[in-house]
């Protein structure tokens, strides 16, 4: 290897190390919540498995969807609660965090409509199974888009008006919350559908794999350097008596890398997240010292 290549190699390593040391969520300080946390104002959803202890295909599928929804809800709450308290110096990072939330929600919606829902309709032979869900989606999409457009067209980050931001979030909050709860009940109820696969049948195994595959891809395809760290840092591993401490299922080094190495790229954004790099609820950054 030539001297120039050796120098380039070590220069890249030094840059990556500096990026990690300066921005990784692993090195961010956190404390346990002492004031209102990201479990409100939008209510979190109780997972069907925790509530019913059932393990059929659709209860499990609804539970995994619920865990994803709760990460999104914590994201919403963390934005809503912190917006009035963000200092001008932090507004650019806060906008990055908020727009990552938007991309997460938009990608999640699109992926459901384009991939998951058609497969479930085919499985059950029921074209009407998602009719209510489609209507719920339409009830908040316009407000969601307006929220992102506002952030996208600011003259500068410091022009962000917290009151305007919260007003836009309020415009779709109720319909959004209703849907994110309702969809979980809709999926869980499919266990009683006339054409639901019998427990332990080959059809149930195939359908279970469909849910699992979709679940693995839906977050990563939305963005490895932004949406994935956002998701990981809004997962509360203490919730429901620690039942989901190791969810989503993946080797610990992979989960650590997705949180702390991928998360270093936009590291300044994640100080606003609801949980720390260990999945513990943390005092919301912009509220620290505000009480």
């Amino acid at each position: 290897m030539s001297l120039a290549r050796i120098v380039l190699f070590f220069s890249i390593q030094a840059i990556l190390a500096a990026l990690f040391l300066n921005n990784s969520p692993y090195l961010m300080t956190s404390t346990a919540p002492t004031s209102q946390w990201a479990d409100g104002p939008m209510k979190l959803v109780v997972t069907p498995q925790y509530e019913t202890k059932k393990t059929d295909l659709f209860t499990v599928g609804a539970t995994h969807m619920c865990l994803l929804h709760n990460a999104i809800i914590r994201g919403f709450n963390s934005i809503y609660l912190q917006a009035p308290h963000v200092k001008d110096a932090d507004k650019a990072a806060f906008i990055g965090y908020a727009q990552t939330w938007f991309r997460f929600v938009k990608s999640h919606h699109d992926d459901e409509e384009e991939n998951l829902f058609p497969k479930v309709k085919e499985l059950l032979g029921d074209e009407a199974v998602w009719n209510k869900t489609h209507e719920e989606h339409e009830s908040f999409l316009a407000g969601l888009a307006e929220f992102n457009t506002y952030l996208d067209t600011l003259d500068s980050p410091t022009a962000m008006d917290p009151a305007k931001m919260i007003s836009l979030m309020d415009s779709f909050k109720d319909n959004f919350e209703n849907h994110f709860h309702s969809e979980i009940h809709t999926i869980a109820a499919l266990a009683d559908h006339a054409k639901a696969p019998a427990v332990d049948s080959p059809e149930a195994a195939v359908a279970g794999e469909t849910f699992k595959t979709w679940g693995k891809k839906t977050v990563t395809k939305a963005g490895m350097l932004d949406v994935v760290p956002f998701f990981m840092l809004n997962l509360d591993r203490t919730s429901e008596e620690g039942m989901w401490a190791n969810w989503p299922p993946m080797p610990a080094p992979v989960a650590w890398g997705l949180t702390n190495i991928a998360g270093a790229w936009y590291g300044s954004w994640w100080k606003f997240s609801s949980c720390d790099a260990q999945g513990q609820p943390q005092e919301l950054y912009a509220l620290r010292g505000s009480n």
Side-chain angles (χ1 to χ4, degrees), residues 97-110:
Y97 179 78
Q99 289 197 289
T100 301
W101 176 82
F102 166 80
R103 288 191 293 275
F104 189 2
V105 176
K106 185 65 167 63
S107 177
H108 172 67
H109 160 267
D110 292 349

Side-chain angles (χ1 to χ4, degrees), residues 17-283:
L19 177 68
F20 178 80
L21 290 172
N22 288 330
N23 294 314
S24 174
Y26 180 72
L27 299 174
M28 292 180 183
T29 58
S30 68
T31 57
T34 58
S35 56
Q36 184 172 10
W37 185 62
D39 49 358
M42 189 178 291
K43 293 180 180 178
L44 298 169
V45 192
V46 178
T47 65
Q49 275 187 271
Y50 181 78
E51 189 170 37
T52 70
K53 313 308 178 192
K54 294 180 180 179
T55 57
D56 62 85
L57 162 67
F58 288 109
T59 298
V60 172
T63 292
H64 293 173
M65 184 71 79
C66 181
L67 293 167
L68 193 153
H69 279 197
N70 279 342
I72 291 174
I73 291 172
R74 292 187 196 98
F76 178 99
N77 290 336
S78 64
I79 295 165
Y80 193 95
L81 293 171
Q82 292 182 92
H85 306 279
V86 177
K87 297 176 181 178
D88 281 354
D90 288 325
K91 282 185 176 179
F94 185 69
I95 290 167
Y97 179 78
Q99 289 197 289
T100 301
W101 176 82
F102 166 80
R103 288 191 293 275
F104 189 2
V105 176
K106 185 65 167 63
S107 177
H108 172 67
H109 160 267
D110 292 349
D111 200 28
E112 283 184 333
E113 293 281 1
E114 295 168 10
N115 295 299
L116 181 63
F117 290 175
K119 290 176 181 176
V120 174
K121 283 197 293 187
E122 182 181 358
L123 171 71
L124 299 175
D126 186 348
E127 287 296 316
V129 69
W130 299 115
N131 283 358
K132 180 183 176 185
T133 303
H134 292 316
E135 292 174 4
E136 291 170 0
H137 280 175
E138 292 303 315
S139 72
F140 66 79
L141 286 176
L144 181 71
E146 189 177 356
F147 167 79
N148 185 61
T149 299
Y150 170 71
L151 295 177
D152 224 17
T153 56
L154 290 169
D155 291 335
S156 69
T158 55
M160 186 197 87
D161 178 0
K164 175 66 173 177
M165 196 168 175
I166 289 174
S167 174
L168 289 169
M169 296 176 79
D170 279 336
S171 74
F172 62 85
K173 173 181 173 291
D174 289 347
N175 287 338
F176 190 93
E177 181 173 7
N178 173 66
H179 165 67
F180 268 61
H181 284 249
S182 174
E183 186 175 85
I184 303 308
H185 299 303
T186 296
I187 296 172
L190 295 178
D192 297 322
H193 193 282
K195 295 185 179 179
V199 176
D200 295 329
S201 68
E203 292 79 10
V206 171
E209 191 60 33
T210 296
F211 268 112
K212 186 183 296 184
T213 301
W214 181 85
K216 286 180 179 178
K217 292 181 178 179
T218 191
V219 177
T220 56
K221 71 191 296 184
M224 287 294 295
L225 298 178
D226 53 358
V227 172
V228 169
F230 183 101
F231 169 62
M232 299 296 285
L233 290 163
N234 282 290
L235 286 176
D236 175 10
R237 301 191 181 282
T238 71
S239 68
E240 298 184 339
E241 302 175 270
M243 187 172 180
W244 311 109
N246 297 311
W247 191 91
M250 65 178 74
V254 174
W256 192 92
L258 291 174
T259 304
N260 297 300
I261 298 177
W265 190 259
Y266 295 112
S268 64
W269 298 0
W270 314 133
K271 59 177 170 278
F272 299 106
S273 63
S274 64
C275 299
D276 63 19
Q278 288 72 48
Q280 303 294 306
Q282 65 175 354
E283 185 85 0

